[in-house]
Amino acid sequence: MEKMNWNAASVRMAAASIVSALVAAGVVWMWTGVYLPGAGLSISLLLVLLVGLLAGGRSPRGAREWLLVAACALENLTFFFFMSTSLRLVNLPVAAGLTALTLFSLNGRLNHGAAEAGALGETLRILPRACVRYIPVPFRALPRARLSTGIVVGLIISVPVLAVAMLLLCSADAVFEGMFTGLLNRLYEADVWALLVKPLLFLLLGLIAFSFLYAQKVLERLPEREAKPPFPTGALATPMLLLCALYALFAAVQFIYLFGGREAAAMRGGYAQYARNGFFELVVICALNLLLAGLAVRRSGGARVVRAAAVGMYAFTAVMLASSAWRMSLYTARFGLSFLRLITYWGIFAMAAVTLAAAWHAVRPETRTWGAAFAVIVASWLLFAYANPEGVIAAYNVRRAGAKVDVEYLSGLSPDALAALKPLAKENAWAGVAANRIGDGYRDISAYEWSLTCRLLPETAAEPIPEGESPSVGDE
């Protein structure tokens, strides 16, 4: 373990440990709040980015690195601007991954550039080590450092061991289970979470954050992987060509029955039922195609037959993506938009960008297309997030439904939807009812949970339901 000398780098590490405590506080509140917090989490992630740059002693150089840092900062700020729980949940791993990728890249811990295909894999390999390897470092400053470190490690190991033993003992003896359950109830009533568990969790997360930031300075670069001998061409090309034959049959069915129009679908359930099924399965198949074809091209050593088969798989993947998008559009037209359906559209677009880049690379292996694909995907995700997904969903569903608005669904959205619902309330009374119900549900929120869209909360109570009308209860 590296010794910590009190020089300029050590001072930066001390500052990093203080900031890591703020990060831990943000994560603790995220786990204990009613809603997924935004402002505090956003500030915490931005502080990680800033302190990580300072700890590494490396500032961005060149336009690409500055654009990467700007994209990382914009991604972290989505928690501050929007309050959608779905958006925040999806953005959490995206923001964490993009922050780690940015810091590891800028501080020279990756063998690949941030926009290269191998950078993400290297980040996933480094991140677990960076988060746990340097946890004992702060305890080395304490007296009897070995004993202190051993106790901390022992406590960390004891948690899962005690949990498993407790579950087995409770299952073995009903009396012991009743005693243990009663003890838990009494501890819950005494708010032991705030008195004991929360500080311990705060300490653990603070140590993890410190280890991650400390690693920006001292963690060694991953060793270069040795080049493996090419895999036999026939073993790679045969399954790929057979898959292409299967995909060709599937593509023919799509052009005849799906893209051919309603009159072409003479099958059980009719065109609507046929067309609205299968888009998620197709998305999964497309993702597997991209992974398998990319690995095959890489392991083949550039064999022409494998590259040709990969181009065929990419072409059929494009047909599947078009089929998935078409099915999703028909499903949305029937049942309306939801966050899952909207993000599926983005996923189809992102896979189309990767498919185009992979096909171009297979045709011209000397070209570097992954940087452009990475830039397109990151930019499109930021556009997706800052377009206010729940506002788009609310506006589409109200205009599509007319008088039969699904008020129950709209009332379950976050204040992000108010930007669309409040203007529509002038022409559709049910939009106003949904907006006021959202306001009633989000009035008592902390500053930590606040987002910029909360300033749109209506001040009045929910409006009475319009006489002689009834909203749709949804048909999903």
Side-chain angles (χ1 to χ4, degrees), residues 47-383:
L47 285 173
V48 168
L49 177 63
L50 176 62
V51 176
L53 292 173
L54 294 176
R58 169 84 152 77
S59 59
R61 300 171 186 171
R64 289 188 177 181
E65 291 189 352
W66 278 110
L67 287 174
L68 181 61
V69 173
C72 186
L74 286 173
E75 170 61 22
N76 289 331
L77 284 174
T78 56
F79 297 93
F80 175 81
F81 286 112
F82 305 104
M83 199 173 187
S84 168
T85 302
S86 299
L87 181 62
R88 287 180 174 178
L89 283 173
V90 176
N91 263 331
L92 188 59
V94 174
L98 190 58
T99 301
L101 174 64
T102 301
L103 292 179
F104 289 147
S105 177
L106 294 180
N107 292 321
R109 301 295 172 251
L110 303 179
N111 296 314
H112 296 83
E116 296 181 10
L120 180 59
E122 284 188 322
T123 299
L124 295 177
R125 289 169 58 194
I126 293 176
L127 187 58
R129 292 197 301 164
C131 289
V132 300
R133 182 172 180 178
Y134 301 105
I135 286 179
V137 169
F139 297 95
R140 299 189 61 180
L142 299 175
R144 304 175 65 89
R146 286 189 178 182
L147 178 60
S148 302
T149 303
I151 292 174
V152 172
V153 174
L155 289 175
I156 295 174
I157 296 175
S158 299
V159 172
V161 173
L162 288 174
V164 173
M166 189 66 68
L167 289 175
L168 292 176
L169 291 175
C170 288
S171 177
D173 191 288
V175 175
F176 181 80
E177 181 183 9
M179 293 174 57
F180 181 68
T181 304
L183 176 61
L184 288 180
N185 291 334
R186 286 192 292 272
L187 291 176
Y188 178 78
E189 294 174 357
D191 199 10
V192 71
W193 171 259
L195 297 175
L196 179 62
V197 178
K198 204 168 182 178
L200 291 177
L201 184 60
F202 179 91
L203 175 63
L204 176 61
L205 294 173
L207 292 172
I208 291 174
F210 170 82
S211 178
F212 173 75
L213 294 172
Y214 188 83
Q216 303 303 317
K217 185 66 178 178
V218 299
L219 186 65
E220 68 278 4
R221 178 182 293 187
L222 284 175
E224 290 276 3
R225 287 186 173 182
E226 297 182 1
K228 298 180 180 180
F231 208 75
T233 302
L236 294 173
T238 301
M240 294 174 71
L241 292 174
L242 290 175
L243 280 175
C244 285
L246 177 63
Y247 293 156
L249 178 61
F250 181 84
V253 172
Q254 303 309 291
F255 281 103
I256 294 173
Y257 292 99
L258 182 65
F259 304 138
R262 297 177 182 273
E263 65 280 359
M267 58 193 68
R268 186 176 179 180
Y271 179 82
Q273 183 65 28
Y274 164 71
R276 290 198 300 267
N277 292 328
F279 42 82
F280 287 119
E281 291 87 344
L282 288 176
V283 169
V284 173
I285 292 176
C286 290
L288 291 176
N289 282 345
L290 293 172
L291 178 63
L292 294 176
L295 288 175
V297 171
R298 182 177 179 182
R299 292 303 310 277
S300 69
R304 289 187 176 182
V305 62
V306 175
R307 287 162 45 201
V311 171
M313 290 184 65
Y314 294 141
F316 290 121
T317 298
V319 175
M320 294 179 189
L321 288 173
S323 176
S324 181
W326 182 255
R327 292 167 187 264
M328 177 59 75
S329 64
L330 293 171
Y331 200 90
T332 300
R334 177 66 177 85
F335 294 111
L337 262 182
S338 65
F339 186 86
L340 180 60
R341 293 163 198 163
L342 194 59
I343 202 173
T344 300
Y345 283 119
W346 176 84
I348 292 172
F349 172 81
M351 282 192 288
V354 174
T355 301
L356 180 60
W360 188 266
H361 183 72
V363 175
R364 295 179 177 271
E366 69 279 3
T367 59
R368 293 186 175 183
T369 58
W370 298 114
F374 177 79
V376 169
I377 291 174
V378 172
S380 64
W381 177 256
L382 291 175
L383 288 174

